Structure formats: structure tokens, C-alpha cells
């Protein structure tokens, strides 16, 4: 029998792995492996996000939020210019929605959440 040690935030985890003829892991060993993988996310290398796509997503997210907030300011504090407020809020929402979608998708793909990948959004990087 081989002994496996893993460290997790100062707590030592010990587990005995039984050596069988076909080198397969038992159900308890698989649970332990999953536990260590989930508890130690920094052990695996993450794929970096595409830089131009990330910049475009962040620019749309911040720009759309800013334009929407300016539209709300004009709507509530400049009563005589409400036509402009509607236009600003609409344009801000058109910019904010794809920016928030792309940002969330990039973040989820970076953290390896199931169902998220870099392929789900248009890429602006030349590859």
C-alpha cells in the first residue's frame, strides 16, 4: 500500500491507496481525488483569456454602465431633457448587455465552470 499526503491550508490529508492488479482506484479513492482537485484549484494551470476579447468585453461593460448611469442622471435631474435621457439609457443598455454577457462568460471560462468556454463569444484576437 502506498501513502499519499496532500496539504490543504495547513491541514494534512492522508489517504491510503490500494494497489490492485489493474491499477484502478476504488470509490473512496475517487472521492478523495475529487476532494483534492476541488479544494486545491490553484494546482492546475488555467488557460488565460484572449486579451483583445477581454478588453472589448470590459470596455463594453464599463462603457454601458457609465452611459446608462448618465442617462438616469439626465432623466431624474434634468426634467427638460428627458428625450436625451431615453436615448442615453437605450444606448447604454445596448452596450451593457453584450458586455456583461461576454464578461461573465470569460470569467466562467477562466474559472473552468461547466458550460462556459472562450468559444461562446466572438473573438477579436488574431490567431
Amino acid at each position: 500500500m502506498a501513502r499519499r499526503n496532500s496539504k490543504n491550508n495547513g491541514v494534512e490529508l492522508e489517504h491510503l491507496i490500494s494497489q490492485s492488479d489493474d491499477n484502478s482506484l476504488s470509490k473512496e479513492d475517487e472521492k478523495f481525488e475529487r476532494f483534492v482537485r476541488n479544494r486545491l484549484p490553484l494546482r492546475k494551470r488555467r488557460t488565460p483569456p484572449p486579451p483583445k476579447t477581454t478588453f472589448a468585453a470590459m470596455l463594453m461593460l464599463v462603457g454601458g454602465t457609465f452611459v446608462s448611469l448618465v442617462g438616469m442622471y439626465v432623466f431624474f435631474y434634468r426634467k427638460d431633457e428627458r428625450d436625451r435621457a431615453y436615448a442615453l439609457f437605450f444606448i447604454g443598455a445596448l452596450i451593457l448587455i453584450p458586455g456583461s454577457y461576454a464578461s461573465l462568460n470569460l470569467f466562467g471560462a477562466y474559472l473552468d465552470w461547466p458550460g462556459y468556454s472562450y468559444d461562446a463569444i466572438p473573438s477579436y484576437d488574431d490567431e
Side-chain angles (χ1 to χ4, degrees):
M1 289 192 170
R3 179 167 282 219
R4 174 174 288 175
N5 293 327
S6 298
K7 281 235 171 197
N8 184 12
N9 296 333
V11 177
E12 189 170 319
L13 304 172
E14 295 184 1
H15 189 71
L16 296 176
I17 297 178
S18 62
Q19 303 262 336
S20 62
D21 295 327
D22 58 353
N23 288 332
S24 65
L25 296 175
S26 69
K27 197 169 215 176
E28 292 176 10
D29 295 331
E30 290 176 9
K31 284 182 184 178
F32 176 75
E33 291 295 328
R34 246 182 312 181
F35 172 76
V36 170
R37 262 195 315 259
N38 291 337
R39 292 300 226 168
L40 302 173
L42 299 177
R43 292 180 70 190
K44 62 181 174 180
R45 307 262 313 154
R46 292 189 172 140
T47 307
K52 290 180 184 176
T53 304
T54 304
F55 178 73
M58 290 295 136
L59 186 66
M60 286 189 290
L61 180 68
V62 172
T65 303
F66 178 74
V67 173
S68 294
L69 290 175
V70 168
M72 288 172 34
Y73 170 78
V74 170
F75 182 79
F76 288 114
Y77 294 107
R78 307 232 176 174
K79 305 269 187 215
D80 55 333
E81 298 180 5
R82 286 215 168 160
D83 296 344
R84 186 175 299 171
Y86 294 133
L88 284 172
F89 189 73
F90 182 72
I91 291 171
L94 282 178
I95 299 170
L96 178 66
I97 291 170
S100 61
Y101 171 77
S103 299
L104 178 68
N105 210 339
L106 285 168
F107 186 69
Y110 179 72
L111 293 180
D112 292 330
W113 290 348
Y116 290 88
S117 71
Y118 296 129
D119 298 331
I121 55 175
S123 179
Y124 302 109
D125 296 304
D126 298 325
E127 290 185 36

